[in-house]
Amino acid sequence: MTSISYVQQQRITRLCVRCGLLLMQYGAESAVVVDLSKRLGIALGMNSVECSLNFNALTLTTICDERCITTTRDTINQSINVNLLVQIQQIVNKTEATTDSDELTKLTTQAFDELDRAVYLPWLVSIFVGASCAAFAYLNGGSWSITAVTFTAGMVAMLTRIYLSKHHFNPFIAVIATAFIASLIGATTYYFDIGNNADIAVASSVLLLVPSFPLINSFSDILKGYVNIGIGRAVFTYMLTLSACVGIVMALVLLRIQHWGF
């Protein structure tokens, strides 16, 4: 096996940490982040790769011929993108399957540069989110008027959330604003006596704010031994839920609705 120079090891280290950061940012669980980062480094010629995760940082060490290089990177939470996670896994698999290639590091770096980061258009996402909220309202016994109000509330709320996220607002502020707008539109069923059960409209309008994916990841991390990051993700999820509650209460107080609930 050809000896790897210090400069080459630096490039491989940067590539491994880039892989881990992308996985963390777009919603992968900790076990997947560590596994793919290690596999990528070993496939590129490292003897060993060690990876340590925190809620907002990643530390990675590559070991080659008793020489260690360690780097730490901050991470920023992005929206969930399973398509991107699958692409990264395919790159790692392809790198492992390639043998005796002097350009392997360069080819892998190029593959990361060419990742397809395309997402659905905001208006299209908002329509489907509104439709899912409306379907939930209808399945829970809401009339067609309740379903229509819920659709409007969910769609407008999702557009608001996408806009605030795009402009880098604090995630908790974004959730409060989104819950406020969704509840404000949904609660008009109380104010104007629309439909057969106004409670359904308010409850269904904020369905898009349920943090199911992060919550599942937090429990998975804790069960697989990544307790620190699992607790961090759980606290973040609970804060998002609390923020949604604050937004709902603000809307109900503004409209002077004294009672809400089934």
Side-chain angles (χ1 to χ4, degrees):
M1 183 176 180
T2 306
S3 177
I4 296 177
S5 67
Y6 181 80
V7 174
Q8 288 175 316
Q9 186 177 351
Q10 281 185 317
R11 292 173 182 168
I12 294 171
T13 304
R14 294 192 190 102
L15 194 56
C16 291
V17 79
R18 180 182 182 184
C19 173
L21 282 176
L22 286 171
L23 291 168
M24 286 185 68
Q25 289 173 350
Y26 289 98
E29 60 178 284
S30 298
V32 174
V33 176
V34 173
D35 179 60
L36 290 181
S37 298
K38 287 185 174 183
R39 285 169 54 191
L40 180 61
I42 292 173
L44 292 173
M46 297 295 99
N47 299 130
S48 177
V49 177
E50 304 299 330
C51 188
S52 176
L53 305 180
N54 291 314
F55 177 70
N56 58 354
L58 183 150
T59 301
L60 186 137
T61 299
T62 58
I63 304 172
C64 181
D65 298 330
E66 300 184 356
R67 181 179 60 221
C68 300
I69 296 180
T70 300
T71 185
T72 300
R73 296 288 189 277
D74 292 333
T75 180
I76 300 174
N77 287 327
Q78 304 283 352
S79 58
I80 305 299
N81 191 332
V82 178
N83 177 46
L84 199 67
L85 303 182
V86 172
Q87 290 181 66
I88 294 172
Q89 187 172 18
Q90 290 174 342
I91 291 173
V92 174
N93 290 339
K94 185 176 180 180
T95 303
E96 288 178 324
T98 304
T99 57
D100 299 329
S101 176
D102 297 331
E103 300 292 328
L104 186 55
T105 302
K106 181 179 179 181
L107 293 173
T108 306
T109 303
Q110 184 178 356
F112 274 96
D113 291 337
E114 296 174 352
L115 282 171
D116 181 12
R117 298 171 183 264
V119 294
Y120 294 110
L121 295 172
W123 63 266
L124 184 62
V125 174
S126 301
I127 288 175
F128 277 93
V129 168
S132 66
C133 294
F136 185 81
Y138 182 76
L139 291 173
N140 278 276
S143 62
W144 283 109
S145 56
I146 290 291
T147 302
V149 172
T150 304
F151 172 80
T152 304
M155 182 178 65
V156 174
M158 192 62 199
L159 282 171
T160 302
R161 187 175 191 181
I162 292 173
Y163 176 83
L164 295 176
S165 299
K166 183 178 179 180
H167 288 79
H168 307 292
F169 276 74
N170 182 287
F172 305 123
I173 299 299
V175 168
I176 290 174
T178 302
F180 175 78
I181 291 175
S183 301
L184 196 65
I185 298 174
T188 56
T189 53
Y190 283 110
Y191 208 70
F192 297 106
D193 195 23
I194 300 173
N196 59 338
N197 193 335
D199 294 329
I200 294 176
V202 178
S204 302
S205 298
V206 294
L207 184 66
L208 63 120
L209 295 174
V210 177
S212 55
F213 203 101
L215 187 61
I216 292 172
N217 272 351
S218 68
F219 284 123
S220 176
D221 289 344
I222 292 172
L223 291 175
K224 293 180 181 179
Y226 299 93
V227 178
N228 290 336
I229 190 170
I231 292 175
R233 284 179 167 178
V235 171
F236 182 77
T237 301
Y238 298 148
M239 287 299 298
L240 289 178
T241 305
L242 178 61
S243 299
C245 293
V246 171
I248 295 170
V249 171
M250 287 173 59
L252 297 180
V253 169
L254 180 64
L255 293 177
R256 297 183 180 179
I257 297 173
Q258 302 296 325
H259 170 73
W260 172 60
F262 293 96

